[in-house]
Amino acid sequence: MQSIVHVCLAGLSAGMFIWLVASGLTLIFGVLGVLNFAHGSFYMLGAYFCFTVLRHLSANFWIGLLLGPLFVCAVGFIVERFFLRRVYHLALPYQLLLTFAFVLIFDNLVKIVWGAGSLSPPRLDIFGEAILIMGRKFPAYNLFIIAVGPLVAIGLWLMLERTWWGRIIRAASSDREMASALGVRVPILFTAVFVFGCWLGAIGGGLAAPYVGIMTPGMGDTIIIEAFIVAVIGGLGSLKGAFLGALIIGVLSAFGTRFFPTFDMFLIFILMAGVLLWRPQGLFGEAR
Amino acid sequence: MGKKGLNRREFLKLTGATGSMLAAGSMSGMAFPRNVWAATPAIKGPIKIGYQAIASGTLAGYGQFHKYGVEMAVEEVNAAGGIAGQKVEMEFRDSTTKADVAIENARYFVDSWGADFLAGVDSSGQALALAPIIEKLDRVLIVTHAATEKLTEEGVFKNGIKQIFRICSPTYQDGNAGAFVAKDLPAMKWATISPKYEYGFTCWKMFQDTLGKLKPGVSFIAESFAPFGTTDFFSHIGTIMDAKPDGLYSTEWAGELITFVKQAKEAGLFDKVKHVMFPVGAAMDVLEGLGKEMPDNVWISGRYFFRYPDNKTNNEWVARFRKRWNHYPAYVSETGYSSIYAIKAAVEKAGSKETKAVISALEGMEMDSPAGHRVFRKEDHQAMYEVPWGKTVSDPKYPFKVMGEQKVIPAKEFFNRPPFEGAGTKPPF
Amino acid sequence: MKNKSLFAALILVFLAALVAMPHLSGRFTVYLAMRFMILGIFAVGYNLLLGQTGLLSFGHGAFYAAGAYGMGFFWLHLSPHPLLGIGAGVAAAAVLALLIGFFCVRHTEIYFAMLTLAFGMMVFSLIWNAREITGGDDGLVGIMRDPVTFFGLGKIPIGKDAQYYYLVLFFFVLSVWVAHRIRISPFGLVLSGIRENARRTEFAGVPVRNYRLAVFVLSGAFAGLAGALEAMLQSNARPFMAHWTHSADPVLVSLLGGLHSLTGPLAGSLLFVAMREIVQRFTENWMLWFGIVLLIIILGFRGGVVGVVQNLVLRRRAEGEG
């Protein structure tokens, strides 16, 4: 029983880490219609900027988490305003490859600015020692993440459903032209949503860094695929889908690693393909 | 042989002196082996060495540390008159992790740049893919990191690709030597969390085979293999903790080992499993990355550890390295550094830079290096030298954990022996 | 028309240069030329799917790998005959493309892209984990180049790079020619129609899905050919060939060179191989510059290199006439 509980906990926290990254990716796809390969780079930049803030400005973890992503937002603004905006009307390959080009650029820039070696994010003592759950230790930090995930989800839901802002975003994402005709300044909206999505990705990176315990250039490359898979399985463009998808993938992977060791990315990709084939709007998305 | 430290003044004096001496066509009075050059025809310079290591992506730090060691060696060698009086030129390329890039680099070095020698290579897969190409290019390659025993057992010994030499310790250090250390530990039930690719599988198998022979009664009760790029080891840790082993063996390395240790600590793994072995845990990036978070009393090893051997050559080299680069040397720094000196020694011994002559010179060659005394075994071109396994302990001199109690097992007791197949080829002997 | 004969002349010059290359340049340039041609075969076949039919696949690396491993297994276990080995590789790739394509062509756009990515990574994972058969991440090593024989008559050695070069050149020219014929054939025109407006094409009575599957398999076969040729060039087959980042290569070079022409992917391949080699001599961070070049092309020169050249030529003609 103890193992099962701990596998679930491990799966939940892993899932929530992915959700934090996938949320931004999903929001950007849902509203702008662009699948942002470079989202992993914003995750990475989030981790690095938080680290820099902690190193040079303040050793307070929360301040780092507050300020670091702001720098990433600035980068995201530049990317959207001056580059991505020009390819919205173009065919899919151009959009995807533009974001792919940014992955190459950011991976190298990070190496040049912060160095090629791995960096150690500061140790997390804010939550104290690990907590004993059913006789085995589980890090308090991960419990925090398990709580943060749903909080972010609820926050996003509230914003989209209950605020004026959210209504505009929903309108623009379901019918860009109509929204524009109704007076919504769509380009500005897109920039705002993209920047917000980057912010989410950066927060994901800032939160993940102490858990992963190490930062390297290129650290976004694996997480982006996991985020893609989750977003697709949950339903591209559906935040609810991404959240539930992340939960499912997180827990499934944990169970798979624990009880079916040959379980690998292979089965996850089969799940991804299966969902795409039989329910392309994802397990929880609405038919588009 | 130019091993003494050179401060800036001496360096400049030497370069100036060397330059004028060379212009006069004779060797400088610095320490040169005997009088080889008077008798032999002059070797056409410069001596070009093409070096490749991973310099991008998550392992980019390794390439940087390779470069530190290699550049330092080239500077020293040139300051001391070069190789056989000829200047050494070194070009460095990013090998990435892909085999086709490694192959292209090797071809560029030899066919386009005119390299006389090749060195480097981090990944076992790359080394294996390079082997037939090296044979075709017919240049000596000194491997400084890739550890697969297949390279030397099959590539060199069985298939006769004589151009390949390996200066760093191979998987024998991880699997076999690890088993020798493990046999003296009270643990009887072993488990592993290892990387999910050939290196991880091979070392675990080797460890099991050897320990099984050394200590009948041990059992291997759990294993969990983590794919490349794993950032969340919790489920793997859970698998191991459920099995309740008393020994854990893990060939995780670099960033993943750092992540694993931090997460294992949170999960309380080190409270439950008393005997832990990390064959590549003594790598500088791991020790520095973990700092105080590396638990005590963990057995670690690597391809070289800067505190062993505790002799003048090594200690002075480490001091010079720190002065030059403001870092402690990683093991790839030492192997990269020594590869340059191995080439120097071989060329000067052979009196030629022709591949065939250098191969003959390198076979069986002995050399002193910061890592100790190395012998290149004739049959498989594998350098034999000792690297300690040590138990982690705090030391106020360093901001990271170091090896406390050490176990040094002579290489010939645990290196697989030719012909590598059949009875008597695998330890214990 | 003057344009056409100028173009034909250029092609002949290029071909002549390729044929003469081993006699004119060193071994490394010959090697680079082979890598260019193999990438070119991959890209020109892939562009039938992307540029012609408008389908973006991130899984074609799987067919490349199928070609390489197919050829490798054939050589290791069945027969050292190179042409048969290449045939085995191409067949393996085509069969795999049929299996995977059958599922993928049910969708388009982003869903198609994600599906192909998923299948491609499945193949990658399979190759990596089936260590007993495929050698895992060590790959298949030691694939050698035995002489080419035709039904026991004649023996053409291809062991040396300069000799193998001509085999690669042969397949390169063949591939480009086949791709050209497909592009201008009625089949190719239908593909263009599907790209322009799939729904209308369907209303015209065309079984769109079958056409998509057909071009998917064809492009997969080209990928398999490229994979088999690389396996013989490098003496190994590796799981990474099936990884999605490798599948991105033909997309990148087709975009670089120009999506809507036959020569676009070839120009892109040449630029890619040349850039990678030359920029590396100046900086280790060549990927950074490559990303920048990619950005510039996407933002400003969407016709790719070929588009730029065509515009220059057109402008010069307009100036001449005007």
Side-chain angles (χ1 to χ4, degrees), chain B residues 20-39:
Chain B
S20 46
M21 287 295 196
L22 283 175
S26 65
M27 297 304 115
S28 82
M30 285 302 292
F32 256 107
R34 326 320 153 211
N35 53 0
V36 192
W37 310 124

Side-chain angles (χ1 to χ4, degrees), chain C residues 85-103:
Chain C
I86 292 177
V90 173
V95 167
L96 187 64
L98 185 62
L99 286 171
I100 291 180
F102 174 74
F103 292 106

